[in-house]
Amino acid sequence: MLFQPPIPPKYAGLTDEQACAMILERKKALGSRLVILGHHYQQDEVIRFADFTGDSLKLSQVGAEQKGAEYIVFCGVHFMAESADILSEDGVTVILPDLSAGCSMADMAELDQLEDAWDFLVGECGQEVIPITYVNSTAAIKAFCGGHGGACCTSSNARAVLEWAFKQGGKVIFLPDQHLGRNTAFAMGVPLEQMVVFDPALPNGGLSPDQARDAKVYLWKGHCSVHGLFTAQQCDDIRRMDAATKIIVHPECAWEVVQKADMAGSTEFIIKTVSEAPAGSKWAIGTEIHLVNRLVERFPDKAVRSLAGIQCLCTTMYRIDLKHLAWTLDALAAGRVVNQIKVEAETKRLATVALKRMLENVTPVPVAIK
Ligand code: SF4
């Protein structure tokens, strides 16, 4: 995780009103040279300045399509800014307004850990393994997958990518989110007994050579700290309170939660499902609270609430605030770049291979995994 030094007092002392005025003014001055991207989980105060909103991959693709843009300011987390840099043309500068806006899940898989896992599974156990990484991972992990016959996936297309992977080789190592891997493979008919958790903190992932040989899917021991807050008990409580409420959750939730839910799918799938639901329908949603609150506001004719009684907030994304955005844009308008996210050339090349393999083998339509 990167560290963000304190921003100059001139910006740290801004009121929200002053910061908003500065952002609007600098945005206007920079015009089409600047694109601001806002992830679905971003706080309202910031996302209102975004030119585009969406999930991480969609935003990176949209950013790359903006011909003439010189700067992409990504109001998301670090791996998203890396993806934007990987997909954008040379000469485009990608900026993350707060360097400490990391992703706890992406930080759970490091390149040297994956290299050790590979040596054990492929080298010692002689397994034919296809590495698949969720896009919520570092550029280095994406590059490893690209360089070893693997691919990236999103929560929308994980099933299609796994289908492709199983055709390439018998086994898959899925990282960094064990839950997305387990939920997707289970929905495809892979029994839980054929999936083992690979714990990078333990020698050989905590697996014996026999366990490694017998498994079909190796699930990296990583998770999202936000979606990990949803529980099967919360599903039971909702059912008890009101049987008419439908439960829809993100597949980064634990398997037990997904099994109890009515539906599971990506953020785009959740938005589409609730948007198309009839007036009067009731929804309990298991995903980040800013997205849920936006759906509450957008659909006053439907009863929308969070599945959890607690605030399930992506605290790292929340670090991007008005002051950091104002600081970033003020510097750009003055011809200075702060907080550039730049992926090294060879890593970029191999990560692009993994992203391209994903895009060539899947449909962009958000699908349910349950
Ligand atoms: S919600 Fe979870 S997976 Fe998404 S950026 Fe935050 S910590 Fe990472």
Side-chain angles (χ1 to χ4, degrees), residues 163-214:
E163 276 165 4
W164 168 82
F166 287 137
K167 280 188 210 144
Q168 312 306 304
K171 297 168 190 270
V172 163
I173 181 166
F174 189 97
L175 66 160
D177 183 18
Q178 59 168 307
H179 300 302
L180 178 63
R182 185 180 293 109
N183 288 324
T184 308
F186 185 78
M188 293 167 68
V190 180
L192 292 180
E193 308 79 65
Q194 289 185 16
M195 302 186 220
V196 288
V197 172
F198 189 98
D199 184 347
L202 298 175
N204 299 334
L207 301 179
S208 67
D210 280 351
Q211 286 173 311
R213 227 176 347 262
D214 293 344

Short mmCIF file of all heavy atoms in Angstrom, two decimals, residues 163-214:
data_model
loop_
_atom_site.label_atom_id
_atom_site.label_comp_id
_atom_site.label_asym_id
_atom_site.label_seq_id
_atom_site.Cartn_x
_atom_site.Cartn_y
_atom_site.Cartn_z
N GLU A 163 -14.97 -20.74 -17.60
CA GLU A 163 -15.29 -21.74 -18.63
C GLU A 163 -14.15 -21.83 -19.64
O GLU A 163 -13.72 -22.92 -20.02
CB GLU A 163 -16.61 -21.39 -19.34
CG GLU A 163 -17.83 -21.86 -18.58
CD GLU A 163 -19.13 -21.21 -19.05
OE1 GLU A 163 -19.09 -20.44 -20.03
OE2 GLU A 163 -20.16 -21.48 -18.41
N TRP A 164 -13.66 -20.66 -20.03
CA TRP A 164 -12.53 -20.62 -20.97
C TRP A 164 -11.30 -21.30 -20.33
O TRP A 164 -10.64 -22.12 -20.97
CB TRP A 164 -12.22 -19.15 -21.31
CG TRP A 164 -10.92 -18.98 -22.03
CD1 TRP A 164 -10.68 -19.15 -23.37
CD2 TRP A 164 -9.65 -18.65 -21.43
NE1 TRP A 164 -9.35 -18.93 -23.64
CE2 TRP A 164 -8.71 -18.62 -22.47
CE3 TRP A 164 -9.24 -18.37 -20.13
CZ2 TRP A 164 -7.36 -18.32 -22.24
CZ3 TRP A 164 -7.90 -18.07 -19.90
CH2 TRP A 164 -6.98 -18.05 -20.94
N ALA A 165 -11.06 -20.99 -19.06
CA ALA A 165 -9.86 -21.51 -18.40
C ALA A 165 -9.91 -23.03 -18.27
O ALA A 165 -8.90 -23.71 -18.50
CB ALA A 165 -9.71 -20.87 -17.02
N PHE A 166 -11.07 -23.56 -17.92
CA PHE A 166 -11.18 -25.02 -17.77
C PHE A 166 -10.95 -25.73 -19.11
O PHE A 166 -10.50 -26.88 -19.16
CB PHE A 166 -12.53 -25.42 -17.19
CG PHE A 166 -12.66 -25.10 -15.71
CD1 PHE A 166 -13.82 -24.53 -15.20
CD2 PHE A 166 -11.62 -25.36 -14.83
CE1 PHE A 166 -13.94 -24.22 -13.85
CE2 PHE A 166 -11.73 -25.07 -13.47
CZ PHE A 166 -12.89 -24.49 -12.98
N LYS A 167 -11.25 -25.04 -20.20
CA LYS A 167 -10.98 -25.64 -21.53
C LYS A 167 -9.48 -25.64 -21.85
O LYS A 167 -9.00 -26.46 -22.60
CB LYS A 167 -11.73 -24.86 -22.61
CG LYS A 167 -13.20 -25.22 -22.71
CD LYS A 167 -13.83 -24.55 -23.92
CE LYS A 167 -15.29 -24.26 -23.66
NZ LYS A 167 -15.76 -23.03 -24.26
N GLN A 168 -8.74 -24.67 -21.27
CA GLN A 168 -7.30 -24.59 -21.55
C GLN A 168 -6.50 -25.63 -20.76
O GLN A 168 -5.51 -26.15 -21.23
CB GLN A 168 -6.73 -23.21 -21.18
CG GLN A 168 -7.51 -22.02 -21.68
CD GLN A 168 -7.75 -22.05 -23.16
OE1 GLN A 168 -6.82 -22.16 -23.95
NE2 GLN A 168 -9.02 -22.01 -23.56
N GLY A 169 -6.94 -25.88 -19.54
CA GLY A 169 -6.22 -26.81 -18.68
C GLY A 169 -7.19 -27.27 -17.61
O GLY A 169 -8.22 -26.65 -17.39
N GLY A 170 -6.86 -28.33 -16.94
CA GLY A 170 -7.82 -28.91 -16.01
C GLY A 170 -8.06 -28.09 -14.75
O GLY A 170 -9.12 -28.16 -14.15
N LYS A 171 -7.07 -27.31 -14.34
CA LYS A 171 -7.16 -26.67 -13.02
C LYS A 171 -6.94 -25.16 -13.11
O LYS A 171 -6.28 -24.68 -14.02
CB LYS A 171 -6.09 -27.27 -12.09
CG LYS A 171 -6.31 -28.75 -11.82
CD LYS A 171 -5.09 -29.35 -11.15
CE LYS A 171 -5.18 -30.86 -11.10
NZ LYS A 171 -5.84 -31.36 -9.89
N VAL A 172 -7.48 -24.49 -12.10
CA VAL A 172 -7.39 -23.02 -12.08
C VAL A 172 -6.91 -22.57 -10.71
O VAL A 172 -7.36 -23.10 -9.69
CB VAL A 172 -8.78 -22.41 -12.38
CG1 VAL A 172 -8.83 -20.94 -11.96
CG2 VAL A 172 -9.13 -22.54 -13.86
N ILE A 173 -6.00 -21.62 -10.69
CA ILE A 173 -5.75 -20.89 -9.43
C ILE A 173 -6.43 -19.54 -9.60
O ILE A 173 -6.19 -18.83 -10.58
CB ILE A 173 -4.24 -20.76 -9.06
CG1 ILE A 173 -4.12 -20.01 -7.72
CG2 ILE A 173 -3.42 -20.10 -10.14
CD1 ILE A 173 -2.74 -20.12 -7.09
N PHE A 174 -7.33 -19.24 -8.66
CA PHE A 174 -8.15 -18.03 -8.76
C PHE A 174 -7.75 -17.08 -7.64
O PHE A 174 -7.79 -17.44 -6.47
CB PHE A 174 -9.64 -18.41 -8.63
CG PHE A 174 -10.57 -17.27 -8.95
CD1 PHE A 174 -11.13 -17.14 -10.21
CD2 PHE A 174 -10.86 -16.31 -8.00
CE1 PHE A 174 -11.97 -16.07 -10.52
CE2 PHE A 174 -11.70 -15.24 -8.28
CZ PHE A 174 -12.27 -15.12 -9.55
N LEU A 175 -7.42 -15.85 -8.02
CA LEU A 175 -7.02 -14.89 -6.99
C LEU A 175 -7.48 -13.48 -7.36
O LEU A 175 -7.88 -13.26 -8.49
CB LEU A 175 -5.50 -14.97 -6.76
CG LEU A 175 -4.55 -14.53 -7.89
CD1 LEU A 175 -3.19 -14.22 -7.27
CD2 LEU A 175 -4.34 -15.63 -8.93
N PRO A 176 -7.47 -12.53 -6.42
CA PRO A 176 -7.16 -12.73 -5.00
C PRO A 176 -8.41 -13.02 -4.15
O PRO A 176 -8.29 -13.22 -2.95
CB PRO A 176 -6.59 -11.36 -4.58
CG PRO A 176 -7.08 -10.37 -5.57
CD PRO A 176 -7.59 -11.10 -6.77
N ASP A 177 -9.62 -13.07 -4.76
CA ASP A 177 -10.84 -13.18 -3.95
C ASP A 177 -11.36 -14.62 -3.92
O ASP A 177 -11.96 -15.09 -4.90
CB ASP A 177 -11.93 -12.25 -4.51
CG ASP A 177 -13.19 -12.27 -3.67
OD1 ASP A 177 -13.12 -12.72 -2.51
OD2 ASP A 177 -14.25 -11.86 -4.16
N GLN A 178 -11.16 -15.28 -2.79
CA GLN A 178 -11.64 -16.66 -2.70
C GLN A 178 -13.15 -16.76 -2.90
O GLN A 178 -13.65 -17.75 -3.46
CB GLN A 178 -11.26 -17.28 -1.36
CG GLN A 178 -11.80 -16.56 -0.15
CD GLN A 178 -11.62 -17.39 1.12
OE1 GLN A 178 -12.02 -18.54 1.20
NE2 GLN A 178 -10.99 -16.79 2.11
N HIS A 179 -13.90 -15.72 -2.46
CA HIS A 179 -15.36 -15.83 -2.51
C HIS A 179 -15.89 -15.77 -3.94
O HIS A 179 -16.74 -16.57 -4.32
CB HIS A 179 -16.00 -14.74 -1.65
CG HIS A 179 -15.58 -14.83 -0.21
ND1 HIS A 179 -15.79 -15.96 0.54
CD2 HIS A 179 -14.91 -13.95 0.58
CE1 HIS A 179 -15.29 -15.77 1.75
NE2 HIS A 179 -14.75 -14.56 1.80
N LEU A 180 -15.39 -14.83 -4.72
CA LEU A 180 -15.83 -14.76 -6.12
C LEU A 180 -15.47 -16.07 -6.82
O LEU A 180 -16.29 -16.61 -7.59
CB LEU A 180 -15.17 -13.57 -6.84
CG LEU A 180 -15.54 -13.44 -8.32
CD1 LEU A 180 -17.04 -13.18 -8.51
CD2 LEU A 180 -14.74 -12.32 -8.99
N GLY A 181 -14.29 -16.60 -6.55
CA GLY A 181 -13.88 -17.86 -7.17
C GLY A 181 -14.78 -19.00 -6.76
O GLY A 181 -15.27 -19.77 -7.60
N ARG A 182 -15.04 -19.12 -5.46
CA ARG A 182 -15.86 -20.23 -4.95
C ARG A 182 -17.30 -20.11 -5.45
O ARG A 182 -17.89 -21.08 -5.94
CB ARG A 182 -15.83 -20.23 -3.42
CG ARG A 182 -16.57 -21.42 -2.80
CD ARG A 182 -16.52 -21.39 -1.29
NE ARG A 182 -15.20 -21.59 -0.74
CZ ARG A 182 -14.46 -20.65 -0.15
NH1 ARG A 182 -14.92 -19.42 -0.01
NH2 ARG A 182 -13.25 -20.92 0.31
N ASN A 183 -17.86 -18.91 -5.32
CA ASN A 183 -19.27 -18.71 -5.74
C ASN A 183 -19.45 -19.00 -7.23
O ASN A 183 -20.44 -19.60 -7.64
CB ASN A 183 -19.71 -17.27 -5.43
CG ASN A 183 -19.90 -17.04 -3.94
OD1 ASN A 183 -20.36 -17.94 -3.23
ND2 ASN A 183 -19.54 -15.87 -3.46
N THR A 184 -18.49 -18.57 -8.03
CA THR A 184 -18.62 -18.75 -9.47
C THR A 184 -18.44 -20.22 -9.85
O THR A 184 -19.25 -20.79 -10.59
CB THR A 184 -17.57 -17.89 -10.21
OG1 THR A 184 -17.67 -16.55 -9.75
CG2 THR A 184 -17.81 -17.91 -11.71
N ALA A 185 -17.39 -20.84 -9.33
CA ALA A 185 -17.14 -22.25 -9.68
C ALA A 185 -18.29 -23.14 -9.18
O ALA A 185 -18.72 -24.06 -9.88
CB ALA A 185 -15.81 -22.71 -9.09
N PHE A 186 -18.80 -22.84 -7.99
CA PHE A 186 -19.91 -23.64 -7.45
C PHE A 186 -21.14 -23.52 -8.35
O PHE A 186 -21.81 -24.51 -8.65
CB PHE A 186 -20.25 -23.16 -6.03
CG PHE A 186 -21.29 -24.00 -5.35
CD1 PHE A 186 -20.98 -25.24 -4.81
CD2 PHE A 186 -22.61 -23.56 -5.26
CE1 PHE A 186 -21.95 -26.02 -4.19
CE2 PHE A 186 -23.59 -24.33 -4.65
CZ PHE A 186 -23.26 -25.55 -4.11
N ALA A 187 -21.44 -22.30 -8.80
CA ALA A 187 -22.59 -22.08 -9.69
C ALA A 187 -22.41 -22.82 -11.02
O ALA A 187 -23.38 -23.15 -11.69
CB ALA A 187 -22.80 -20.59 -9.94
N MET A 188 -21.15 -23.09 -11.38
CA MET A 188 -20.88 -23.82 -12.61
C MET A 188 -20.93 -25.33 -12.41
O MET A 188 -20.73 -26.10 -13.35
CB MET A 188 -19.47 -23.46 -13.12
CG MET A 188 -19.36 -22.04 -13.58
SD MET A 188 -17.62 -21.57 -13.82
CE MET A 188 -17.19 -22.59 -15.23
N GLY A 189 -21.11 -25.76 -11.15
CA GLY A 189 -21.22 -27.20 -10.89
C GLY A 189 -19.98 -27.84 -10.30
O GLY A 189 -19.92 -29.06 -10.13
N VAL A 190 -18.97 -27.05 -9.97
CA VAL A 190 -17.78 -27.62 -9.33
C VAL A 190 -18.12 -27.82 -7.84
O VAL A 190 -18.46 -26.86 -7.15
CB VAL A 190 -16.55 -26.68 -9.47
CG1 VAL A 190 -15.33 -27.30 -8.79
CG2 VAL A 190 -16.28 -26.36 -10.94
N PRO A 191 -18.03 -29.05 -7.33
CA PRO A 191 -18.37 -29.25 -5.91
C PRO A 191 -17.34 -28.59 -4.98
O PRO A 191 -16.17 -28.46 -5.34
CB PRO A 191 -18.32 -30.78 -5.74
CG PRO A 191 -17.97 -31.36 -7.05
CD PRO A 191 -17.64 -30.27 -8.02
N LEU A 192 -17.82 -28.20 -3.80
CA LEU A 192 -16.92 -27.54 -2.84
C LEU A 192 -15.70 -28.41 -2.52
O LEU A 192 -14.61 -27.90 -2.28
CB LEU A 192 -17.67 -27.21 -1.55
CG LEU A 192 -18.76 -26.13 -1.63
CD1 LEU A 192 -19.41 -25.92 -0.26
CD2 LEU A 192 -18.22 -24.81 -2.17
N GLU A 193 -15.89 -29.72 -2.51
CA GLU A 193 -14.77 -30.62 -2.17
C GLU A 193 -13.63 -30.53 -3.19
O GLU A 193 -12.50 -30.96 -2.89
CB GLU A 193 -15.22 -32.09 -2.11
CG GLU A 193 -16.44 -32.39 -1.25
CD GLU A 193 -17.74 -32.03 -1.94
OE1 GLU A 193 -18.05 -32.68 -2.95
OE2 GLU A 193 -18.43 -31.10 -1.47
N GLN A 194 -13.94 -30.04 -4.39
CA GLN A 194 -12.87 -29.93 -5.39
C GLN A 194 -12.19 -28.57 -5.38
O GLN A 194 -11.41 -28.24 -6.26
CB GLN A 194 -13.43 -30.23 -6.78
CG GLN A 194 -13.78 -31.69 -6.96
CD GLN A 194 -14.23 -32.01 -8.38
OE1 GLN A 194 -14.03 -31.25 -9.31
NE2 GLN A 194 -14.87 -33.16 -8.52
N MET A 195 -12.55 -27.75 -4.36
CA MET A 195 -11.91 -26.44 -4.24
C MET A 195 -11.13 -26.40 -2.93
O MET A 195 -11.67 -26.78 -1.89
CB MET A 195 -12.96 -25.32 -4.22
CG MET A 195 -13.84 -25.31 -5.44
SD MET A 195 -14.92 -23.85 -5.40
CE MET A 195 -16.45 -24.54 -5.99
N VAL A 196 -9.89 -25.95 -2.99
CA VAL A 196 -9.10 -25.82 -1.76
C VAL A 196 -8.62 -24.38 -1.63
O VAL A 196 -8.39 -23.70 -2.64
CB VAL A 196 -7.88 -26.78 -1.74
CG1 VAL A 196 -8.31 -28.22 -1.56
CG2 VAL A 196 -7.03 -26.61 -3.00
N VAL A 197 -8.49 -23.94 -0.39
CA VAL A 197 -7.99 -22.58 -0.15
C VAL A 197 -6.47 -22.63 -0.12
O VAL A 197 -5.88 -23.47 0.58
CB VAL A 197 -8.55 -22.02 1.17
CG1 VAL A 197 -7.89 -20.69 1.51
CG2 VAL A 197 -10.07 -21.86 1.07
N PHE A 198 -5.84 -21.76 -0.89
CA PHE A 198 -4.38 -21.62 -0.87
C PHE A 198 -4.06 -20.42 0.00
O PHE A 198 -4.36 -19.28 -0.37
CB PHE A 198 -3.85 -21.43 -2.30
CG PHE A 198 -2.36 -21.50 -2.38
CD1 PHE A 198 -1.71 -22.67 -2.74
CD2 PHE A 198 -1.58 -20.40 -2.04
CE1 PHE A 198 -0.33 -22.75 -2.78
CE2 PHE A 198 -0.20 -20.46 -2.06
CZ PHE A 198 0.42 -21.63 -2.44
N ASP A 199 -3.45 -20.67 1.15
CA ASP A 199 -3.13 -19.59 2.09
C ASP A 199 -1.68 -19.16 1.89
O ASP A 199 -0.76 -19.90 2.26
CB ASP A 199 -3.36 -20.10 3.52
CG ASP A 199 -3.13 -18.99 4.55
OD1 ASP A 199 -2.58 -17.93 4.17
OD2 ASP A 199 -3.49 -19.19 5.72
N PRO A 200 -1.45 -17.97 1.31
CA PRO A 200 -0.07 -17.58 0.99
C PRO A 200 0.80 -17.38 2.24
O PRO A 200 2.02 -17.30 2.13
CB PRO A 200 -0.25 -16.27 0.22
CG PRO A 200 -1.58 -15.74 0.63
CD PRO A 200 -2.44 -16.93 0.93
N ALA A 201 0.16 -17.31 3.41
CA ALA A 201 0.94 -17.11 4.65
C ALA A 201 1.53 -18.43 5.14
O ALA A 201 2.37 -18.45 6.04
CB ALA A 201 0.04 -16.51 5.73
N LEU A 202 1.09 -19.58 4.57
CA LEU A 202 1.56 -20.89 5.03
C LEU A 202 2.49 -21.52 4.00
O LEU A 202 2.32 -21.27 2.79
CB LEU A 202 0.36 -21.82 5.26
CG LEU A 202 -0.64 -21.38 6.34
CD1 LEU A 202 -1.83 -22.34 6.36
CD2 LEU A 202 0.03 -21.35 7.71
N PRO A 203 3.42 -22.36 4.45
CA PRO A 203 4.27 -23.05 3.47
C PRO A 203 3.39 -23.87 2.52
O PRO A 203 2.43 -24.53 2.96
CB PRO A 203 5.13 -23.98 4.36
CG PRO A 203 5.05 -23.43 5.73
CD PRO A 203 3.74 -22.69 5.84
N ASN A 204 3.68 -23.79 1.23
CA ASN A 204 2.90 -24.49 0.19
C ASN A 204 1.41 -24.19 0.28
O ASN A 204 0.56 -25.03 -0.07
CB ASN A 204 3.13 -26.01 0.25
CG ASN A 204 4.58 -26.36 0.01
OD1 ASN A 204 5.31 -25.61 -0.64
ND2 ASN A 204 5.02 -27.47 0.57
N GLY A 205 1.09 -23.03 0.77
CA GLY A 205 -0.32 -22.62 0.85
C GLY A 205 -1.11 -23.42 1.87
O GLY A 205 -2.35 -23.31 1.91
N GLY A 206 -0.41 -24.22 2.68
CA GLY A 206 -1.12 -25.06 3.66
C GLY A 206 -1.62 -26.36 3.03
O GLY A 206 -2.39 -27.09 3.65
N LEU A 207 -1.18 -26.67 1.80
CA LEU A 207 -1.67 -27.86 1.10
C LEU A 207 -0.61 -28.96 1.06
O LEU A 207 0.58 -28.68 0.90
CB LEU A 207 -2.05 -27.52 -0.35
CG LEU A 207 -3.11 -26.45 -0.57
CD1 LEU A 207 -3.33 -26.23 -2.06
CD2 LEU A 207 -4.42 -26.84 0.11
N SER A 208 -1.06 -30.20 1.17
CA SER A 208 -0.16 -31.33 0.94
C SER A 208 -0.13 -31.59 -0.56
O SER A 208 -1.04 -31.17 -1.28
CB SER A 208 -0.69 -32.57 1.67
OG SER A 208 -1.91 -32.98 1.05
N PRO A 209 0.90 -32.31 -1.06
CA PRO A 209 0.92 -32.63 -2.49
C PRO A 209 -0.34 -33.37 -2.93
O PRO A 209 -0.86 -33.15 -4.02
CB PRO A 209 2.17 -33.50 -2.64
CG PRO A 209 3.07 -33.04 -1.53
CD PRO A 209 2.14 -32.70 -0.39
N ASP A 210 -0.89 -34.23 -2.08
CA ASP A 210 -2.13 -34.96 -2.44
C ASP A 210 -3.30 -34.00 -2.59
O ASP A 210 -4.09 -34.11 -3.54
CB ASP A 210 -2.48 -36.00 -1.36
CG ASP A 210 -1.65 -37.25 -1.50
OD1 ASP A 210 -0.95 -37.36 -2.54
OD2 ASP A 210 -1.68 -38.09 -0.59
N GLN A 211 -3.42 -33.07 -1.65
CA GLN A 211 -4.52 -32.09 -1.74
C GLN A 211 -4.38 -31.26 -3.01
O GLN A 211 -5.36 -30.97 -3.69
CB GLN A 211 -4.51 -31.15 -0.52
CG GLN A 211 -5.02 -31.81 0.74
CD GLN A 211 -4.83 -30.90 1.95
OE1 GLN A 211 -3.74 -30.34 2.18
NE2 GLN A 211 -5.88 -30.71 2.72
N ALA A 212 -3.14 -30.89 -3.33
CA ALA A 212 -2.91 -30.09 -4.54
C ALA A 212 -3.29 -30.90 -5.78
O ALA A 212 -3.87 -30.36 -6.72
CB ALA A 212 -1.44 -29.66 -4.60
N ARG A 213 -2.96 -32.18 -5.77
CA ARG A 213 -3.26 -33.04 -6.93
C ARG A 213 -4.76 -33.24 -7.11
O ARG A 213 -5.28 -33.24 -8.22
CB ARG A 213 -2.57 -34.39 -6.77
CG ARG A 213 -1.84 -34.83 -8.00
CD ARG A 213 -1.06 -36.11 -7.85
NE ARG A 213 -0.86 -36.61 -6.51
CZ ARG A 213 0.25 -36.43 -5.79
NH1 ARG A 213 1.25 -35.74 -6.30
NH2 ARG A 213 0.38 -36.94 -4.59
N ASP A 214 -5.48 -33.40 -6.00
CA ASP A 214 -6.91 -33.75 -6.08
C ASP A 214 -7.81 -32.56 -6.40
O ASP A 214 -8.94 -32.74 -6.85
CB ASP A 214 -7.38 -34.37 -4.75
CG ASP A 214 -6.71 -35.73 -4.53
OD1 ASP A 214 -6.16 -36.27 -5.51
OD2 ASP A 214 -6.71 -36.21 -3.38
#
